[in-house]
């Protein structure tokens, strides 16, 4: 079957209606019969599929892996041999066996050809066991004028043909048969929520691990920023006149301000392609968008922990921060949270805003505002106007800054040049102990150390839950 028409004539809308992608909008006229049986509107998606004009695939997976993960998401029953046999059969049918172990690739990194990518997309639809109707939307601008001139001629000729009359007679005859064949619905025995989540997690992780540049970016971004600080500060001192307090405050400011931004860069670069894949596959009913989001969140955790530990191990000891091992652990834990929060906040915004560049700007502005208002390093929170003081309690930077401040300054003793220098001579000599600076900057922060950790880490599940809600809403809005 071939659907012809000029741009905007409704070809894709017709295919969306037939395949069940139009879940709520639109008024349907007419009836749909399969093997003489009437289909209800909510049954369309369980019976029909079609391949979109653009191929949305993960570039770092092979053809075989791509189809195997699709089968695991769509079909519950069967042992590993069953899935392998089904995938091999589909690849043989669509002449993909010779590229089974080649990466999908993309326009920049090579991979399989455009025609082979299209056949992979068709194979992914066929693995969901639809009817043999698998239409491909291939309208292009170059064909529009010719199509528009010929479509009416073809339509008129077909309606007058014997084939058309015979087809309509067969349809009417089938509708009145006493015994009608069953409707070939897609498999209803799909995996459970946790099984799909496990498959998505393995797929996302493998796609990332194959991308060496993405892995290096994940693991070394924080360290690259840390190396700049190392060469700039070299090593902190305990002499107030030589910048003992100033250098430490500047370092803490940079730590709190930069770690959310590196998390944001990861999400902006890596998640949009997964979002596009989930938008397409969720419309086919393979899984829901929030499941892809949660799989991404879970795969982020080990990489973020490793990246933070690499950064902390190099920077903490080289800069000469507080020499206790326990303090190093608190320091690492305090920086892991804003790194994750920055990435998860970006995921939430990517569920609302389509353009990653806009999300980049929004998260950067929020991070800067949070450090200015919440950290207390730029201006003492107690001296801020009341509205800003209230807002500071909703910034994760406030709790992270207080943790780092107490972790570094508590128990420190400072010198102030020679023994003859007094407070009268140099006001900077007023701080001889770290606890004095803590109470001046964030009064009571020492007693809130544990509570600050709990509040800081509560931002992470809160953003994950918010992200799930946002992507559920996105699923509702995108499915017309």
């Amino acid at each position: 079957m071939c659907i012809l028409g000029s741009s905007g004539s409704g070809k894709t809308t017709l295919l969306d209606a037939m395949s069940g992608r139009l879940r709520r909008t639109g008024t349907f006229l007419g009836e749909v019969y399969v093997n003489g049986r009437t289909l209800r509107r909510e049954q369309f998606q369980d019976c029909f599929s079609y391949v979109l004009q653009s191929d949305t695939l993960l570039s770092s997976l092979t053809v075989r892996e791509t189809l195997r993960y699709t089968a695991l998401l769509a079909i519950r029953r069967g042992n590993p041999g069953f899935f392998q046999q089904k995938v091999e059969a589909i690849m043989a049918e669509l002449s993909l066996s010779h590229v089974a172990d080649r990466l999908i690739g993309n326009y920049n990194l090579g991979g399989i050809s455009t025609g082979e990518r299209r056949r992979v997309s068709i194979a992914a639809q066929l693995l969901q066991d639809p009817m043999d109707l698998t239409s491909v939307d291939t309208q292009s601008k170059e064909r529009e004028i010719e199509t528009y001139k010929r479509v009416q001629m073809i339509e008129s000729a077909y309606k007058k043909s014997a084939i058309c009359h015979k087809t309509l007679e067969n349809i009417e005859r089938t509708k009145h048969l006493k015994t009608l064949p069953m409707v070939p619905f897609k498999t209803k025995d799909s995996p459970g929520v946790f099984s799909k989540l496990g498959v998505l997690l393995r797929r996302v992780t493998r796609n990332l691990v194959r991308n060496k540049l993405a892995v290096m970016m994940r693991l070394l971004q924080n360290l690259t920023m840390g190396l700049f600080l190392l060469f700039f500060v070299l090593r902190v001192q305990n002499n107030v006149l030589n910048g003992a307090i100033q250098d430490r405050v500047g370092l803490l400011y940079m730590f709190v301000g930069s770690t959310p931004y590196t998390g944001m860069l990861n999400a902006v670069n890596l998640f949009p392609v997964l979002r596009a894949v989930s938008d397409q596959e969720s419309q086919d009913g393979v899984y829901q968008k929030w499941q892809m989001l949660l799989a991404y969140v879970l795969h982020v955790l080990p990489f973020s922990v490793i990246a933070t530990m690499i950064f902390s191990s190099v920077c903490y000891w080289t800069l000469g921060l507080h020499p206790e091992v326990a303090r190093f652990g608190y320091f690492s834990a305090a920086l892991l949270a804003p790194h994750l929060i920055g990435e998860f906040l970006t995921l939430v915004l990517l569920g609302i805003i389509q353009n990653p560049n806009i999300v980049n700007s929004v998260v950067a502005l929020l991070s800067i505002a949070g450090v200015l208002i919440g950290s207390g390093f730029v201006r003492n929170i107690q001296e801020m106007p009341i509205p800003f003081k209230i807002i500071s309690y909703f910034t994760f930077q406030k709790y992270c800054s207080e943790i780092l401040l107490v972790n570094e300054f508590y128990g420190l003793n400072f010198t102030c040049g020679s023994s003859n220098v007094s407070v009268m001579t140099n006001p900077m000599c007023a701080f001889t102990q770290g606890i004095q600076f803590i109470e001046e900057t964030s009064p009571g922060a020492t007693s809130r150390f544990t509570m600050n950790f709990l509040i800081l880490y509560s931002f992470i599940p809160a953003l994950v839950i918010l992200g799930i809600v946002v992507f559920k809403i996105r699923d509702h809005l995108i499915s017309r």
Side-chain angles (χ1 to χ4, degrees), residues 132-150:
D132 290 337
L133 169 64
T134 305
S135 302
V136 184
D137 186 5
T138 57
Q139 176 69 24
S140 63
K141 294 293 183 181
E142 293 78 6
R143 301 189 184 98
E144 286 189 13
I145 298 178
E146 183 179 356
T147 299
Y148 183 77
K149 291 179 179 178
R150 296 187 179 184

Side-chain angles (χ1 to χ4, degrees), residues 167-351:
T167 300
L168 293 176
E169 291 173 0
N170 289 336
I171 291 173
E172 289 298 323
R173 188 182 306 112
T174 303
K175 288 164 59 175
H176 295 91
L177 290 176
K178 294 182 179 179
T179 304
L180 297 175
M182 298 300 295
V183 177
F185 288 117
K186 299 179 187 178
T187 176
K188 290 288 189 178
D189 194 20
S190 62
V193 173
F194 292 106
S195 297
K196 290 183 177 182
L197 185 59
V199 174
L200 288 172
L201 177 59
R202 295 199 300 274
R203 184 170 75 167
V204 170
T205 303
R206 178 164 293 187
N207 184 66
L208 173 69
V209 170
R210 290 257 178 81
N211 189 339
K212 295 180 181 179
L213 182 61
V215 172
M216 291 178 61
M217 180 182 72
R218 273 207 167 278
L219 297 181
L220 301 179
Q221 269 185 340
N222 285 335
L223 180 60
T224 303
M225 179 271 298
L227 291 176
F228 172 78
L229 294 179
L230 287 179
F231 288 113
F232 185 72
V233 178
L234 295 180
R235 194 169 182 86
V236 295
Q237 303 180 38
N238 285 341
N239 191 331
V240 175
L241 297 182
N242 291 336
I245 295 177
Q246 182 181 1
D247 288 348
R248 284 178 169 85
V249 171
L251 288 172
L252 298 186
Y253 179 88
M254 287 299 300
F255 292 150
V256 175
S258 61
T259 47
Y261 192 78
T262 55
M264 177 272 292
L265 290 178
N266 290 328
V268 164
N269 282 284
L270 301 175
F271 188 70
V273 64
L274 298 176
R275 181 184 62 180
V277 170
S278 69
D279 284 346
Q280 178 176 318
E281 292 180 335
S282 62
Q283 282 191 302
D284 291 330
V286 180
Y287 56 84
Q288 297 183 50
K289 291 181 178 63
W290 67 266
Q291 291 174 306
M292 174 65 87
L293 171 73
L294 194 54
Y296 181 89
V297 166
L298 293 175
H299 109 282
V300 159
L301 297 178
F303 289 100
S304 297
V305 171
I306 295 171
T308 302
M309 290 304 298
I310 293 174
F311 164 74
S312 299
S313 300
V314 173
C315 292
Y316 191 87
W317 303 113
T318 307
L319 287 168
L321 300 180
H322 204 291
E324 292 182 12
V325 175
R327 300 285 185 98
F328 166 73
Y330 294 139
F331 175 83
S332 302
L335 291 186
L336 173 63
H339 181 68
L340 290 172
I341 291 171
E343 185 155 6
F344 295 168
L345 174 61
T346 306
L347 297 178
V348 173
L349 293 176
L350 284 171

Side-chain angles (χ1 to χ4, degrees), residues 95-124:
S95 300
L96 291 169
S97 299
H98 65 291
V99 293
D101 295 314
R102 288 182 59 184
L103 296 180
I104 296 293
N106 53 41
Y107 299 109
N108 297 322
L109 300 176
I112 60 177
S113 68
T114 303
E116 288 164 343
R117 287 171 62 89
R118 173 45 52 98
R119 295 204 297 275
V120 172
S121 297
I122 296 174

